[in-house]
Amino acid sequence: MRYQSARMDQIPPYMFAELGKKKAAMIKSGIDVIDLGIGDPDLPTPAHIVDKLVEEARKPENLRYPQFSGHPVFRKAVAEFYKREYGIELDPETEVLALIGSKEGLSHLVPVMIDPGEIVLVPDPCYPPYRMAALLAGGKYHDMPMVKENGFLPDFEEIPENVLEKARLMFLNYPGNPTAAVVDGPFFQNAVDFAKDKGIIIAHDSAYNKVAFSGYKPPSILEARGAKDVAVEFGSLSKTYCMTGWRIGYVVGNRDVIKALAVFKSNTDTGVFTPIQLAGAHAILSDQTCVDTHNDIYFARMKGMIEALQEIGIEVEPPKASFFIWAPVPAGYSSTGFAEAVLEQAGVIVTPGSAFGPSGEGYFRISLSVPNARLDEAIGRIKRKIKI
Ligand SMILES: Cc1ncc(COP(=O)(O)O)c(C=O)c1O
């Protein structure tokens, strides 16, 4: 008897699901594990957003099937966000689609865009679902290596011609996970021009678009000239408003791509619970002080952790955005070897860079989405216990 397809045979268990099992086993055996692995904000969703959810959940008309492409109020709020933040006009009806979190949408975009045998270009290292979605769609992925010397940007000129012939979709992600790298407008312009020239659609993942510090403002790819011809941009309420568990995100941009994704989704899912969409719209449109407050907290945590890493001899540039630190492993260690040493010696989970792709080897990622007291404890343990 066959219990899964050949496509599924290629898919490993999701890295963070596996890490979660390992962590649970360690905790069961009495070890006080501090998890700096997954990027799941510990800060609570601001009360005004929760209150709105409760208010909307009390209305019977909001408890029925949601509208397939998203509630008009939510789609309009996303369009207003783009106008407010970037001065970009979006038609809420045709250029905005609600998603069950951005992970759902960016994974489902892949079978919408590629046929079996075709190629998805992915940054290396990257958020793992980009690659898995390509395999699940019967396609392939091509890693675009990103190195420190190049600011963790892909070099489009390095993509071989035979790969470009079969490439239909390219993922980009800035501010980047796991590298915390950022870009400026000219990078996106170059990407859009390249994609137009080669007939490739760009999916820009902007999950960390509002997690930024020191006056840095991440740009939108839609600010680039002609972007709407070839690009869509994924956004999420997960990180900005500490709403990871709510499952709400959106995609904006090219209307043909959005239309095709909407057709796919209406055949496979039935959208986001309406009160969540209305609370999400409220989050986007109401006072944004909470976003700055969250960023101040992440920035303070970042400073503390970077100092601790420096004390044990690991040099890291302070990131301008995201709540990740992407740091080189000490000489003589592999990524997994160092992550194991940190777990064994300090009881702290960090993610080995190689989990994000071959170019992640030689690095590890720390997520700062744990309460201050736990982070201080982790910092103390790293300083005391890690021997390099
Ligand atoms: C780069 C990146 N994109 C997308 C997501 C998924 O976010 P969401 O909660 O909107 O599905 C994450 C979550 O960690 C992420 O790191």
Side-chain angles (χ1 to χ4, degrees), residues 39 101-103 106 127 130 173 177 205 207-208 236 238-239 247:
S102 60
K103 182 178 184 181
L106 53 88
Y127 181 53
Y130 308 154
N173 164 222
N177 174 15
D205 177 353
Y208 299 90
S236 174
S238 290
K239 321 288 170 162
R247 312 314 302 134

Side-chain angles (χ1 to χ4, degrees), residues 74 97-109 127 129 205 207 233-239 243-251 261 265 269 271-273 276-277:
F74 179 72
L97 179 65
L99 302 172
I100 312 169
S102 60
K103 182 178 184 181
E104 176 269 307
L106 53 88
S107 298
H108 285 151
L109 179 68
Y127 181 53
D205 177 353
E233 185 158 74
F234 287 86
S236 174
L237 278 70
S238 290
K239 321 288 170 162
M243 292 172 68
T244 47
W246 295 52
R247 312 314 302 134
I248 174 118
Y250 55 84
V251 58
L261 181 57
K265 280 176 56 59
D269 69 63
V272 181
F273 186 44
I276 291 180
Q277 295 193 55

Side-chain angles (χ1 to χ4, degrees), residues 47-172:
H48 66 280
I49 304 173
V50 179
D51 290 346
K52 181 70 174 168
L53 171 73
V54 173
E55 181 192 325
E56 296 298 340
R58 291 197 191 283
K59 299 179 185 165
E61 69 272 24
N62 287 343
L63 307 182
R64 308 183 67 193
Y65 283 129
Q67 298 183 32
F68 285 114
S69 295
H71 196 287
V73 169
F74 179 72
R75 282 186 278 151
K76 205 160 160 264
V78 173
E80 283 186 36
F81 171 81
Y82 268 78
K83 179 92 182 126
R84 179 180 84 205
E85 298 290 330
Y86 313 108
I88 293 168
E89 298 284 350
L90 291 174
D91 176 357
E93 293 236 336
T94 57
E95 295 178 322
V96 181
L97 179 65
L99 302 172
I100 312 169
S102 60
K103 182 178 184 181
E104 176 269 307
L106 53 88
S107 298
H108 285 151
L109 179 68
V110 177
V112 167
M113 292 308 308
I114 69 161
D115 286 316
E118 291 182 334
I119 295 177
V120 180
L121 303 170
V122 300
D124 171 30
C126 72
Y127 181 53
Y130 308 154
R131 289 193 182 92
M132 295 309 120
L135 300 179
L136 283 169
K140 298 184 183 133
Y141 60 81
H142 173 82
D143 285 324
M144 300 184 287
M146 306 192 300
V147 292
K148 182 170 183 252
E149 293 67 39
N150 204 12
F152 295 110
L153 308 182
D155 183 349
F156 304 134
E157 301 309 319
E158 288 289 307
I159 306 167
E161 210 42 57
N162 62 334
V163 169
L164 285 174
E165 276 163 22
K166 288 190 171 174
R168 298 285 171 268
L169 180 66
M170 175 198 283
F171 278 104
L172 294 174

